Amino acid sequence: MKEKLEKIIASAQDEIAAGDTLHQLNQLKSKFLGKKSELMDMMKQMSSLSSEEKPEAGKLLNLAKKQINRLLNSRELEIKELDYRRTLSIEQIDITMPGRRREKGSLHPITLVMQEIEDIFISMGFDIAEGPDIEDEFHNFDALNTPKDHPARDLSDTFYIGDDVLLRTQTSTVQVRVMQNHKPPIRIISPGSCYRNENDASHSPMFHQVEALVVDDGINFADLRDILNVFVKKVFGDQIESRFRPHFFPFTEPSAEIDISCVKCYGKGCNLCKGSGWLEMGGAGMVDPNVFEMLDIDSEKYTGYAFGLGIERIAMIKYKIPDMRLLYENDVRFLRQF
Ligand code: PHE
């Protein structure tokens, strides 16, 4: 019996040492200690032994059981330790590996130009005003003295969202909002997005303008000329001149278009200015008395000027961008240059 037990223990020792998963260990446990194991058989046969043999046999059997249990337990600890090590090595972080760099963003050229314009006008005592992109006909047309049959109101020029709801076609809407809520003196600029149904190399369906409005006692056309001249020189440099060309806007009288001397040829004529020596930048004029009257501002007492500049135009001229669409394609190779 002793020999038989020694054999069982020896084979348990070999098999348990070779088992390398907890599942295998469980199987070995039932093989060596389970109901159908050799050891259990031997325990059952104890009853057939004589009373002298019993105590000795019982002791041996119990020792063998304990020993096999000890083997199983210590192998279980080993396997758990190995599993733990394996997990650690899989999840290990190599702290010597160089990190992945995040690309640093930069401000969009439109934003850069807007911020520069804001800084210039704030330094000259202007406030910043804002208005919504989604507007009604009153603020975009009626209050700006635009006749009901004006072509700008046409579906082919203006994006209508619904009856009397549209995307503003100009920041001049903010002039109306400011005059509704403030009495003179008024001195504001308002940068923002505008929308028109047009799309080519120099027109985008969404674009940006900066509006200016100054209303007070004794404001005249020379003030308008002066402020624009100062602004142009601050943005483009001292060599650049500005000029006014007679024009028409329903909400200003007289009205003018603003040109600056070509930043490439300084007025001689080149491909950028198409030979004219001048580049177009926006519109301007003295606020039409009709607009004042509609907004309850005394047109006998007050005068004012307004202008609207195209921010894309300014960005394109300043940074020599040949096609407006480049500004909206979000190609990092383009954007990285600013
Ligand atoms: N709102 C005009 C436009 O978009 C520009 C403008 C603004 C003209 C203010 C005169 C005064 O064309």
Side-chain angles (χ1 to χ4, degrees), residues 36 74-75 112 147 159 171 209 216 240 249 293 320 328:
K36 288 176 187 159
S74 75
R75 184 62 188 155
L112 287 174
F159 291 117
T171 43
Q209 287 187 334
D216 204 351
I240 302 300
F249 296 104
E293 291 308 318
K320 303 188 170 58
Y328 305 111

Side-chain angles (χ1 to χ4, degrees), residues 169-172 175 196 207 209 211-212 249 251-252 255-256 282-285 306-309:
T169 60
Q170 50 191 355
T171 43
S172 303
Q175 286 188 41
R196 286 182 203 175
F207 59 99
Q209 287 187 334
E211 191 81 9
F249 296 104
F251 41 95
T252 47
S255 304
F307 58 85
L309 308 176

